[in-house]
Amino acid sequence: MIDYTRFKSYLIVEKGIGSICTDSYSQAIKRFINNTGIEAPTKDDAIKYIMTFYASNKSYSHIVNTCLALERYSEYLGTPIKLGRPKKPKKIITGTLTETEIARMFAFCRNIRQKAILGTLAYTGIRNLELCRLLVKDIDFRNNTVFIKGGKGHKDGLVFVSPACSDIVKEYIQHYHRKEEQTLFFSVATNKRDELLRTSAVRKIVKKIAKRAGVKRRVWPHLFRHSLAMNMLLKGCDIYSIREQLRHSYIDTTLIYVHSSPQVMQNRY
């Protein structure tokens, strides 16, 4: 019987892998064992399993994540294997929200909490998990900045926020009496009051607001990050400033937004 707690501890302590990736790898190994019945896979076992992903046209990220999980698991067992990677597809960002759609969503928020969550996502480009971990003291209302501690890749960052969003967050804090050391957002469910807000709860909130606002396509928290970048580009913002706001490690990641919008290139032309 596989001790998944020990496997996750190995990934965190010995490999220095973050909790999100650790959970993902653990789930991938559970799926592998459930589907194959093999607890100690050889390289041939891993190859046969991954080949089923190619046959069923699984996504690039799903294939890569499973390959990494199997490699880490084999290292944990003491029989390391190495698997190849498919060529990364050229990513195109589509379906971003316009400023008008975001404004309409604000109009359909039912309370100041929903407005504060929506505003923080839309105006900072913060990631869902970063939003849930944000502390009240991380917001500098005087300079309209937000400090993000231990973001993706365990990196700290500083991003800007509009004065209008700062005012919304101020009103929210006054209404819910949040203290400096507390998380900005928390669960308001009766049986989970004051618990850390979950990323799944943020997804539900955003989905409900979008539905009330009449946005016909799928809306999720990370879409606001893409939308901020695209709207900044359309307004004429330079690519390096957008990179700093989104805290990308590589400029190539930010350039995806330029390649994704013919209107951006048309405006520059």
Side-chain angles (χ1 to χ4, degrees):
M1 188 71 178
I2 301 300
D3 187 342
Y4 290 103
T5 301
R6 188 176 177 185
F7 175 52
K8 291 168 74 171
S9 298
Y10 163 81
L11 294 175
I12 293 170
V13 177
E14 295 194 39
K15 293 298 179 180
I17 298 172
S19 59
I20 294 177
C21 285
T22 298
D23 289 339
S24 178
Y25 292 163
S26 181
Q27 289 299 319
I29 296 304
K30 284 181 182 178
R31 286 192 296 270
F32 171 81
I33 294 173
N34 288 338
N35 290 332
T36 65
I38 301 170
E39 292 191 356
T42 64
K43 187 170 185 177
D44 284 343
D45 294 329
I47 290 172
K48 287 178 183 177
Y49 183 66
I50 295 298
M51 278 302 297
T52 64
F53 285 20
Y54 283 98
S56 56
N57 201 28
K58 295 287 188 182
S59 69
Y60 166 84
S61 58
H62 194 61
I63 293 173
V64 170
N65 182 71
T66 305
C67 286
L68 286 169
L70 286 167
E71 287 178 353
R72 297 299 188 187
Y73 181 59
S74 67
E75 290 172 4
Y76 167 73
L77 295 176
T79 54
I81 61 174
K82 183 68 178 176
L83 301 170
R85 307 283 187 273
K87 185 177 180 181
K88 189 173 183 178
K90 186 176 180 181
K91 190 176 181 181
I92 296 292
I93 306 297
T94 59
T96 55
L97 297 163
T98 64
E99 290 182 296
T100 301
E101 287 174 320
I102 294 171
R104 193 162 70 244
M105 287 182 68
F106 270 108
F108 281 86
C109 288
R110 289 181 172 171
N111 53 56
I112 190 62
R113 179 172 176 267
Q114 290 185 357
K115 281 187 177 181
I117 290 172
L118 187 67
T120 307
L121 287 170
Y123 285 106
T124 66
I126 196 171
R127 298 178 179 91
N128 193 351
L129 185 60
E130 294 168 346
L131 174 85
C132 295
R133 292 175 175 174
L134 200 63
L135 303 180
V136 173
K137 67 178 182 180
D138 293 334
I139 303 176
D140 184 344
F141 292 105
R142 179 178 296 179
N143 295 309
N144 292 315
T145 59
V146 176
F147 174 66
I148 299 166
K149 184 177 181 179
K152 187 176 181 180
H154 304 288
K155 293 180 294 184
D156 295 345
L158 191 71
V159 299
F160 293 97
V161 66
S162 72
C165 182
S166 289
D167 290 341
I168 291 171
V169 175
K170 277 182 188 176
E171 185 181 346
Y172 161 81
I173 291 172
Q174 290 169 358
H175 183 84
Y176 284 96
H177 307 292
R178 304 302 287 165
K179 297 178 181 178
E180 289 284 304
E181 298 297 327
Q182 291 180 307
T183 55
L184 180 61
F185 299 109
F186 64 103
S187 174
V188 293
T190 304
N191 61 334
K192 296 182 180 179
R193 187 169 293 277
D194 286 339
E195 284 188 10
L196 186 72
L197 183 64
R198 294 180 179 274
T199 55
S200 57
V202 179
R203 287 194 293 271
K204 288 178 183 177
I205 290 168
V206 167
K207 185 178 179 180
K208 288 179 180 179
I209 296 171
K211 186 176 180 179
R212 288 199 300 267
V215 179
K216 300 300 182 183
R217 59 184 176 279
R218 176 174 171 256
V219 177
W220 69 102
H222 206 80
L223 183 61
F224 291 96
R225 182 175 171 85
H226 294 321
S227 301
L228 175 67
M230 197 65 75
N231 289 327
M232 288 176 73
L233 268 176
L234 292 171
K235 289 273 189 178
C237 185
D238 67 274
I239 197 73
Y240 293 98
S241 297
I242 296 171
R243 174 191 175 181
E244 290 301 309
Q245 182 69 21
L246 298 186
R247 295 165 288 120
H248 286 155
S249 298
Y250 305 102
I251 193 66
D252 286 351
T253 307
T254 318
L255 283 169
I256 290 170
Y257 296 100
V258 178
H259 302 320
S260 297
S261 175
Q263 189 177 347
V264 170
M265 295 306 297
Q266 188 176 40
N267 289 348
R268 291 188 173 189
Y269 177 79

